[in-house]
Amino acid sequence: MSGKDFETSWPLLHHVLLRHLDDELVRFTHHASEQIRFRDVSEDTVRSIIRDGKPVEMFDAFQYPHGEEPFQNSDPVFTFIGEVRGEKMAVALSIRMKKGRSGIEAQFRVVTVITELRGRHTKQ
């Protein structure tokens, strides 16, 4: 998905993402759950950052450079930036499109959360 494709498809994708958040269908990887516990942040806080934000960057499949196994995520990953206790936090959310009973379905997973932000993320 190119930048232009993303800009045109984001409103629809965002609508689906909000519905998944409302229905508690957004999942957390084991790594993300560990990072949330380590950083003493709730899953609800992470969901709020996703709900209230817009992705600040997008990585194609096998291009996300963070997490437990960098460059191994087989799905596109979006980064959202929010604030927790006065500190900026990045939330990485993967999106998988798969064939379901009613056509193509999206699955969202939080891949990781990062609080030690540097460089491009601190300007958000």
Side-chain angles (χ1 to χ4, degrees):
M1 181 181 286
S2 72
K4 186 173 175 77
D5 291 337
F6 167 72
E7 287 297 323
T8 57
S9 62
W10 175 245
L12 176 60
L13 205 52
H14 187 239
H15 175 74
V16 173
L17 175 56
L18 291 176
R19 201 171 72 231
H20 281 232
L21 286 166
D22 289 343
D23 294 342
E24 297 185 8
L25 297 174
V26 174
R27 301 290 175 231
F28 290 76
T29 64
H30 178 72
H31 176 74
S33 294
E34 286 179 338
Q35 294 305 304
I36 288 168
R37 279 191 299 279
F38 176 74
R39 289 169 170 76
D40 192 29
V41 176
S42 70
E43 286 185 2
D44 285 340
T45 297
V46 172
R47 286 185 191 99
S48 291
I49 289 171
I50 296 167
R51 177 183 305 287
D52 299 338
K54 182 176 180 183
V56 296
E57 62 188 1
M58 182 193 121
F59 294 88
D60 287 327
F62 301 106
Q63 297 301 308
Y64 188 68
H66 304 290
E68 198 168 36
E69 297 178 7
F71 304 105
Q72 299 304 306
N73 197 310
S74 61
D75 305 308
V77 175
F78 299 88
T79 304
F80 295 80
I81 303 293
E83 199 165 302
V84 176
R85 298 182 296 269
E87 182 179 29
K88 289 197 182 225
M89 182 170 79
V91 175
L93 181 76
S94 71
I95 196 169
R96 174 174 288 167
M97 304 304 282
K98 66 177 238 171
K99 193 170 187 165
R101 284 182 243 137
S102 58
I104 301 296
E105 297 176 355
Q107 292 180 331
F108 300 94
R109 291 182 316 143
V110 176
V111 176
T112 193
V113 297
I114 304 169
T115 53
E116 300 82 22
L117 303 183
R118 296 179 291 286
R120 69 190 184 280
H121 294 130
T122 60
K123 297 174 184 149
Q124 302 299 324

